[in-house]
Amino acid sequence: MSLKIQLYIVSLWLLFILLFINKVQIPYCFDKNCHFIGLAKLLIVNVVPLIFLSLAIFGFIFYANFKYIIRRNRSLPDKVTRIENLNWEHLTFLVTYVIPFLSFNLNEDRNGLVFFLVLIIIGIIYIKTNMFYTNPTLALLGYHIYKLSTTNKENIIIISKDVIQENDSIQYQLLSDNIYMANKSINNGNTRT
């Protein structure tokens, strides 16, 4: 599966967790005459929340894959000549796409269908426009977004756990088009892991 699709699912991880918490129905009773309704009935009542839980689990798996991919070989050290912080783009995605989804009434079949169609359409736009780096989940996990130029590259977008400044030496790895994963280069070209 494409890294872009995986990162789109990772970007919605918070939404899936919040929707699971919002929609899960666990019956409880503190009376002496209470009894368990049965696993089959519990699963039937919670089909939609279980779908969201499954998507959240896939998000964890895809994040682990992302971390594995970004540990591959990187470029030789390159000096940052110009930098612009784009961390605000994480919030734009969160406020524009994730938060409004919480208002969908998924108890009605038609609304559930529209919800998933809108998720798919936004995903296609997100992937085709290379906006997969605007990922609120990665922001929560400590990643930053920068638009920068180096001595060898012009106007690239990088995702990094490091706080990068002008004149820093970085090593980067291509993710897609002009989007890279980067770390500060320290100790004559050795990178932080």
Coordinates of all heavy atoms in Angstrom, one line a residue, residues 11-75:
S11 N -3.1 10.0 9.7 CA -3.6 11.4 10.0 C -5.0 11.4 10.6 O -5.4 12.3 11.4 CB -3.6 12.2 8.8 OG -4.6 11.9 7.9
L12 N -5.8 10.3 10.4 CA -7.1 10.2 10.9 C -7.2 9.4 12.2 O -8.3 9.1 12.7 CB -8.1 9.7 9.8 CG -8.2 10.5 8.6 CD1 -9.0 9.8 7.5 CD2 -8.9 11.9 8.9
W13 N -6.1 9.0 12.7 CA -6.0 8.1 13.9 C -6.8 8.7 15.0 O -7.6 8.0 15.7 CB -4.6 7.9 14.2 CG -4.4 7.1 15.5 CD1 -4.5 5.7 15.6 CD2 -4.1 7.5 16.8 NE1 -4.2 5.3 16.8 CE2 -4.0 6.4 17.6 CE3 -3.8 8.8 17.3 CZ2 -3.7 6.5 18.9 CZ3 -3.5 8.9 18.6 CH2 -3.4 7.8 19.4
L14 N -6.6 10.0 15.3 CA -7.4 10.7 16.4 C -8.9 10.6 16.1 O -9.7 10.4 17.1 CB -7.0 12.1 16.5 CG -5.6 12.4 17.1 CD1 -5.3 13.9 16.9 CD2 -5.5 12.0 18.5
L15 N -9.3 10.9 14.9 CA -10.7 10.8 14.6 C -11.3 9.4 14.9 O -12.3 9.3 15.5 CB -10.9 11.2 13.1 CG -12.4 11.0 12.6 CD1 -13.3 12.0 13.2 CD2 -12.4 11.1 11.1
F16 N -10.6 8.4 14.4 CA -11.0 7.0 14.6 C -11.2 6.7 16.1 O -12.1 6.1 16.6 CB -10.1 6.0 13.9 CG -10.1 6.2 12.4 CD1 -8.9 5.9 11.8 CD2 -11.2 6.5 11.7 CE1 -8.8 6.1 10.4 CE2 -11.2 6.7 10.3 CZ -10.0 6.5 9.7
I17 N -10.2 7.1 16.9 CA -10.2 6.8 18.4 C -11.4 7.6 19.0 O -12.2 7.0 19.8 CB -8.9 7.3 19.0 CG1 -7.7 6.4 18.6 CG2 -9.0 7.2 20.6 CD1 -7.8 5.0 19.0
L18 N -11.6 8.9 18.6 CA -12.7 9.7 19.2 C -14.0 9.1 18.8 O -15.0 9.0 19.6 CB -12.5 11.1 18.8 CG -11.4 11.9 19.4 CD1 -11.3 13.3 18.7 CD2 -11.5 12.0 20.9
L19 N -14.2 8.7 17.5 CA -15.4 8.1 17.1 C -15.7 6.7 17.8 O -16.8 6.4 18.1 CB -15.5 7.9 15.6 CG -15.7 9.2 14.8 CD1 -15.4 9.0 13.3 CD2 -17.0 9.8 15.1
F20 N -14.7 6.0 18.0 CA -14.8 4.7 18.7 C -15.4 5.0 20.1 O -16.3 4.4 20.6 CB -13.5 3.9 18.8 CG -13.6 2.7 19.7 CD1 -14.2 1.6 19.3 CD2 -13.0 2.8 21.0 CE1 -14.3 0.5 20.2 CE2 -13.1 1.7 21.9 CZ -13.8 0.6 21.5
I21 N -14.7 5.9 20.8 CA -15.2 6.3 22.2 C -16.6 6.8 22.2 O -17.4 6.5 23.1 CB -14.2 7.3 22.8 CG1 -12.8 6.6 23.1 CG2 -14.7 7.9 24.1 CD1 -11.7 7.6 23.4
N22 N -16.9 7.6 21.2 CA -18.2 8.2 21.1 C -19.3 7.2 20.8 O -20.4 7.4 21.3 CB -18.2 9.3 20.1 CG -19.5 10.2 20.0 OD1 -20.2 10.3 21.0 ND2 -19.7 10.8 18.9
K23 N -19.0 6.2 20.0 CA -20.1 5.3 19.5 C -20.2 4.0 20.2 O -21.2 3.3 20.1 CB -19.8 5.1 18.0 CG -19.9 6.3 17.1 CD -21.2 7.0 17.2 CE -21.3 8.3 16.4 NZ -22.5 9.1 16.6
V24 N -19.1 3.6 20.9 CA -19.1 2.2 21.5 C -20.3 2.2 22.6 O -20.5 3.1 23.3 CB -17.8 1.9 22.2 CG1 -17.4 2.7 23.4 CG2 -17.7 0.4 22.4
Q25 N -20.9 1.0 22.6 CA -22.1 0.8 23.5 C -21.8 -0.4 24.3 O -21.8 -1.5 23.9 CB -23.4 0.6 22.7 CG -23.8 1.8 22.0 CD -25.1 1.6 21.2 OE1 -25.9 0.8 21.6 NE2 -25.2 2.3 20.1
I26 N -21.4 -0.1 25.6 CA -21.1 -1.2 26.5 C -22.2 -1.2 27.6 O -22.2 -0.3 28.4 CB -19.7 -1.1 27.1 CG1 -18.7 -1.1 26.0 CG2 -19.5 -2.2 28.1 CD1 -17.3 -0.9 26.4
P27 N -23.1 -2.1 27.6 CA -24.2 -2.1 28.6 C -23.6 -2.5 30.0 O -22.7 -3.3 30.1 CB -25.1 -3.2 28.1 CG -24.4 -4.1 27.2 CD -23.2 -3.2 26.7
Y28 N -24.1 -1.8 31.0 CA -23.7 -2.0 32.3 C -24.9 -2.0 33.2 O -25.9 -1.4 33.0 CB -22.6 -1.0 32.8 CG -23.1 0.4 32.7 CD1 -23.7 1.0 33.8 CD2 -22.9 1.2 31.5 CE1 -24.1 2.4 33.7 CE2 -23.3 2.5 31.4 CZ -23.9 3.1 32.5 OH -24.3 4.4 32.4
C29 N -24.8 -2.8 34.3 CA -25.8 -2.9 35.3 C -25.2 -3.2 36.6 O -24.3 -4.0 36.7 CB -26.8 -4.0 34.8 SG -28.1 -4.3 36.0
F30 N -25.8 -2.7 37.7 CA -25.2 -2.9 39.0 C -26.2 -3.7 39.9 O -26.0 -3.8 41.1 CB -24.8 -1.6 39.7 CG -23.7 -0.9 38.9 CD1 -23.9 0.2 38.2 CD2 -22.4 -1.4 38.9 CE1 -22.9 0.8 37.5 CE2 -21.4 -0.8 38.2 CZ -21.7 0.3 37.5
D31 N -27.3 -4.1 39.3 CA -28.3 -4.9 40.0 C -27.9 -6.3 40.2 O -27.1 -6.9 39.5 CB -29.6 -4.8 39.2 CG -30.9 -5.3 39.9 OD1 -30.7 -6.2 40.7 OD2 -31.9 -4.6 39.7
K32 N -28.5 -7.0 41.2 CA -28.2 -8.4 41.5 C -28.6 -9.3 40.3 O -28.1 -10.4 40.1 CB -28.8 -8.9 42.8 CG -28.2 -8.3 44.0 CD -28.9 -8.8 45.2 CE -28.4 -8.1 46.5 NZ -29.0 -8.6 47.7
N33 N -29.7 -8.9 39.6 CA -30.2 -9.7 38.5 C -29.6 -9.5 37.2 O -30.2 -10.0 36.2 CB -31.8 -9.5 38.5 CG -32.4 -9.9 39.8 OD1 -32.0 -10.8 40.4 ND2 -33.5 -9.1 40.1
C34 N -28.5 -8.8 37.1 CA -27.9 -8.5 35.8 C -27.2 -9.7 35.3 O -26.8 -10.6 36.0 CB -26.8 -7.4 36.0 SG -27.5 -5.8 36.5
H35 N -27.2 -9.8 34.0 CA -26.5 -10.9 33.3 C -25.8 -10.3 32.0 O -26.3 -9.3 31.5 CB -27.4 -12.0 33.0 CG -28.5 -11.7 32.0 ND1 -29.7 -11.0 32.4 CD2 -28.6 -11.9 30.7 CE1 -30.4 -10.8 31.4 NE2 -29.8 -11.3 30.3
F36 N -24.8 -11.0 31.5 CA -24.1 -10.6 30.3 C -25.0 -10.9 29.1 O -25.6 -11.9 29.0 CB -22.8 -11.5 30.2 CG -22.0 -11.1 29.0 CD1 -21.6 -9.8 28.8 CD2 -21.6 -12.1 28.1 CE1 -20.8 -9.5 27.7 CE2 -20.8 -11.8 27.0 CZ -20.4 -10.5 26.8
I37 N -25.1 -9.9 28.2 CA -26.0 -10.0 27.0 C -25.5 -10.9 26.0 O -26.2 -11.3 25.1 CB -26.2 -8.6 26.4 CG1 -25.0 -8.0 25.8 CG2 -26.9 -7.7 27.4 CD1 -25.2 -6.8 25.0
G38 N -24.2 -11.3 26.1 CA -23.6 -12.3 25.1 C -22.7 -11.5 24.2 O -22.9 -10.4 23.8
L39 N -21.6 -12.2 23.8 CA -20.6 -11.6 23.0 C -21.2 -11.3 21.6 O -20.9 -10.3 21.0 CB -19.4 -12.6 22.8 CG -18.2 -12.1 22.1 CD1 -17.7 -10.8 22.7 CD2 -17.1 -13.1 22.0
A40 N -22.0 -12.2 21.0 CA -22.5 -12.0 19.7 C -23.4 -10.7 19.6 O -23.2 -9.9 18.7 CB -23.4 -13.2 19.2
K41 N -24.2 -10.5 20.6 CA -25.1 -9.3 20.6 C -24.2 -8.1 20.9 O -24.5 -7.0 20.3 CB -26.1 -9.4 21.7 CG -27.1 -8.3 21.7 CD -28.3 -8.5 22.6 CE -29.3 -7.4 22.5 NZ -30.5 -7.5 23.3
L42 N -23.2 -8.2 21.7 CA -22.3 -7.1 22.0 C -21.6 -6.6 20.7 O -21.5 -5.4 20.4 CB -21.3 -7.4 23.1 CG -20.4 -6.3 23.6 CD1 -21.3 -5.2 24.3 CD2 -19.4 -6.8 24.6
L43 N -21.1 -7.6 19.9 CA -20.4 -7.3 18.7 C -21.4 -6.7 17.7 O -21.0 -5.7 17.0 CB -19.8 -8.6 18.1 CG -18.6 -9.1 18.9 CD1 -18.1 -10.4 18.3 CD2 -17.5 -8.1 19.0
I44 N -22.6 -7.2 17.6 CA -23.6 -6.7 16.6 C -23.9 -5.2 16.9 O -24.0 -4.4 16.1 CB -24.9 -7.5 16.6 CG1 -24.5 -8.9 15.9 CG2 -26.0 -6.8 15.9 CD1 -25.6 -9.9 16.1
V45 N -24.1 -4.9 18.2 CA -24.4 -3.5 18.6 C -23.3 -2.6 18.3 O -23.5 -1.4 18.1 CB -24.8 -3.5 20.1 CG1 -24.9 -2.1 20.7 CG2 -26.1 -4.3 20.4
N46 N -22.1 -3.1 18.3 CA -20.9 -2.3 18.2 C -20.1 -2.5 16.9 O -18.9 -2.3 16.8 CB -19.9 -2.5 19.4 CG -20.5 -1.9 20.6 OD1 -20.7 -0.7 20.7 ND2 -20.7 -2.8 21.6
V47 N -20.8 -2.8 15.8 CA -20.2 -3.0 14.5 C -19.4 -1.7 14.0 O -18.3 -1.8 13.7 CB -21.2 -3.4 13.4 CG1 -20.6 -3.4 12.0 CG2 -21.7 -4.8 13.7
V48 N -20.1 -0.6 14.1 CA -19.5 0.7 13.6 C -18.3 1.1 14.5 O -17.2 1.4 14.0 CB -20.5 1.8 13.5 CG1 -19.9 3.2 13.2 CG2 -21.5 1.5 12.4
P49 N -18.4 1.1 15.8 CA -17.3 1.4 16.7 C -16.1 0.4 16.4 O -14.9 0.8 16.5 CB -17.8 1.3 18.1 CG -19.2 1.5 18.0 CD -19.6 0.9 16.7
L50 N -16.4 -0.9 16.2 CA -15.3 -1.8 15.9 C -14.6 -1.5 14.6 O -13.4 -1.8 14.5 CB -15.9 -3.3 15.9 CG -16.2 -3.8 17.3 CD1 -16.9 -5.1 17.3 CD2 -15.0 -3.8 18.3
I51 N -15.3 -1.0 13.6 CA -14.7 -0.6 12.4 C -13.7 0.5 12.6 O -12.6 0.5 12.2 CB -15.7 -0.2 11.3 CG1 -16.5 -1.4 10.8 CG2 -15.1 0.6 10.1 CD1 -17.7 -1.0 10.0
F52 N -14.1 1.5 13.5 CA -13.2 2.6 13.8 C -12.0 2.1 14.6 O -10.9 2.6 14.4 CB -14.0 3.7 14.6 CG -15.0 4.4 13.7 CD1 -16.3 4.6 14.2 CD2 -14.6 5.0 12.5 CE1 -17.2 5.3 13.4 CE2 -15.5 5.7 11.7 CZ -16.8 5.8 12.2
L53 N -12.3 1.2 15.5 CA -11.1 0.6 16.3 C -10.2 -0.1 15.4 O -8.9 0.1 15.5 CB -11.7 -0.3 17.4 CG -10.6 -0.9 18.3 CD1 -9.9 0.1 19.1 CD2 -11.2 -2.0 19.2
S54 N -10.7 -0.8 14.4 CA -9.8 -1.5 13.4 C -9.0 -0.5 12.6 O -7.8 -0.7 12.4 CB -10.7 -2.4 12.5 OG -11.4 -3.3 13.2
L55 N -9.6 0.6 12.2 CA -8.9 1.6 11.4 C -7.8 2.3 12.3 O -6.7 2.6 11.8 CB -9.9 2.7 10.9 CG -10.8 2.2 9.7 CD1 -11.9 3.2 9.5 CD2 -10.0 1.9 8.5
A56 N -8.1 2.5 13.6 CA -7.1 3.0 14.5 C -5.9 2.1 14.6 O -4.8 2.5 14.6 CB -7.7 3.3 15.9
I57 N -6.2 0.8 14.7 CA -5.2 -0.2 14.8 C -4.3 -0.2 13.5 O -3.1 -0.3 13.6 CB -5.7 -1.6 15.1 CG1 -6.3 -1.6 16.6 CG2 -4.7 -2.7 14.9 CD1 -7.1 -2.8 16.9
F58 N -5.0 -0.1 12.4 CA -4.2 0.0 11.1 C -3.4 1.2 11.2 O -2.2 1.2 10.7 CB -5.2 0.0 9.9 CG -5.6 -1.3 9.4 CD1 -7.0 -1.7 9.5 CD2 -4.7 -2.2 8.9 CE1 -7.4 -2.9 9.1 CE2 -5.1 -3.5 8.5 CZ -6.5 -3.8 8.6
G59 N -3.9 2.3 11.7 CA -3.1 3.5 11.8 C -1.8 3.3 12.6 O -0.7 3.8 12.3
F60 N -1.9 2.5 13.7 CA -0.7 2.2 14.5 C 0.3 1.4 13.7 O 1.5 1.6 13.7 CB -1.0 1.4 15.8 CG -1.5 2.2 16.9 CD1 -2.8 2.1 17.3 CD2 -0.7 3.2 17.5 CE1 -3.3 2.9 18.4 CE2 -1.2 3.9 18.6 CZ -2.5 3.8 19.0
I61 N -0.2 0.4 12.9 CA 0.6 -0.5 12.1 C 1.3 0.4 11.0 O 2.5 0.2 10.7 CB -0.2 -1.6 11.5 CG1 -0.7 -2.6 12.6 CG2 0.6 -2.3 10.4 CD1 -1.8 -3.5 12.1
F62 N 0.5 1.3 10.4 CA 1.1 2.1 9.3 C 2.1 3.1 9.9 O 3.1 3.4 9.2 CB 0.0 2.9 8.6 CG -0.9 2.0 7.8 CD1 -2.2 2.4 7.5 CD2 -0.6 0.7 7.4 CE1 -3.1 1.5 6.8 CE2 -1.4 -0.1 6.7 CZ -2.7 0.3 6.4
Y63 N 1.9 3.6 11.1 CA 2.9 4.4 11.7 C 4.2 3.7 12.0 O 5.3 4.2 11.7 CB 2.4 5.1 13.0 CG 3.5 5.9 13.7 CD1 3.9 7.1 13.1 CD2 4.1 5.5 14.9 CE1 4.9 7.8 13.7 CE2 5.0 6.2 15.5 CZ 5.5 7.4 14.9 OH 6.5 8.1 15.5
A64 N 4.1 2.4 12.4 CA 5.3 1.6 12.6 C 6.0 1.4 11.3 O 7.2 1.4 11.2 CB 4.9 0.3 13.2
N65 N 5.2 1.2 10.2 CA 5.8 1.0 8.9 C 6.5 2.3 8.4 O 7.6 2.3 7.9 CB 4.8 0.6 7.9 CG 5.3 0.3 6.5 OD1 6.3 -0.4 6.3 ND2 4.7 1.0 5.5
F66 N 5.9 3.4 8.7 CA 6.5 4.7 8.4 C 7.9 4.9 9.1 O 8.9 5.3 8.5 CB 5.5 5.9 8.8 CG 6.1 7.2 8.7 CD1 6.4 7.9 7.5 CD2 6.4 8.0 9.9 CE1 6.9 9.1 7.4 CE2 6.9 9.2 9.8 CZ 7.1 9.8 8.6
K67 N 7.9 4.6 10.4 CA 9.1 4.6 11.2 C 10.2 3.7 10.6 O 11.4 4.1 10.5 CB 8.9 4.3 12.6 CG 8.2 5.5 13.3 CD 8.2 5.3 14.8 CE 9.6 5.4 15.3 NZ 9.9 6.3 16.4
Y68 N 9.8 2.5 10.1 CA 10.7 1.6 9.5 C 11.3 2.2 8.2 O 12.5 2.1 8.0 CB 10.0 0.3 9.3 CG 10.9 -0.7 8.5 CD1 12.0 -1.4 9.1 CD2 10.6 -0.9 7.1 CE1 12.7 -2.3 8.3 CE2 11.4 -1.8 6.4 CZ 12.5 -2.5 7.0 OH 13.2 -3.3 6.3
I69 N 10.4 2.7 7.4 CA 10.8 3.3 6.1 C 11.8 4.4 6.2 O 12.8 4.5 5.5 CB 9.6 3.7 5.3 CG1 8.8 2.5 4.8 CG2 10.0 4.6 4.1 CD1 7.5 2.8 4.2
I70 N 11.6 5.3 7.2 CA 12.4 6.5 7.4 C 13.8 6.2 8.0 O 14.6 7.1 8.1 CB 11.7 7.6 8.1 CG1 11.4 7.2 9.6 CG2 10.5 8.1 7.4 CD1 10.8 8.3 10.4
R71 N 14.0 5.0 8.4 CA 15.3 4.6 8.9 C 16.3 4.2 7.9 O 17.4 3.9 8.1 CB 15.2 3.5 10.0 CG 14.5 4.0 11.2 CD 14.6 3.0 12.3 NE 14.0 3.6 13.5 CZ 13.5 3.0 14.5 NH1 13.5 1.7 14.5 NH2 12.9 3.6 15.5
R72 N 15.8 4.1 6.6 CA 16.7 3.7 5.5 C 17.8 4.8 5.3 O 17.8 5.8 6.0 CB 15.9 3.6 4.2 CG 14.9 2.4 4.3 CD 14.2 2.2 3.0 NE 13.6 3.4 2.5 CZ 12.6 3.4 1.7 NH1 12.1 2.3 1.2 NH2 12.0 4.5 1.3
N73 N 18.6 4.5 4.3 CA 19.7 5.4 4.0 C 19.3 6.8 3.7 O 18.2 7.0 3.1 CB 20.5 4.9 2.8 CG 21.2 3.6 3.1 OD1 21.5 3.3 4.3 ND2 21.4 2.8 2.1
R74 N 20.1 7.8 4.1 CA 19.8 9.2 3.9 C 20.9 9.8 3.0 O 21.9 9.2 2.8 CB 19.7 9.9 5.3 CG 18.6 9.4 6.1 CD 18.5 10.3 7.4 NE 17.5 9.7 8.3 CZ 16.2 9.9 8.2 NH1 15.7 10.6 7.3 NH2 15.4 9.4 9.1
S75 N 20.6 11.0 2.7 CA 21.6 11.8 1.8 C 22.8 12.1 2.7 O 22.9 11.9 3.9 CB 20.9 13.1 1.4 OG 20.8 13.9 2.5

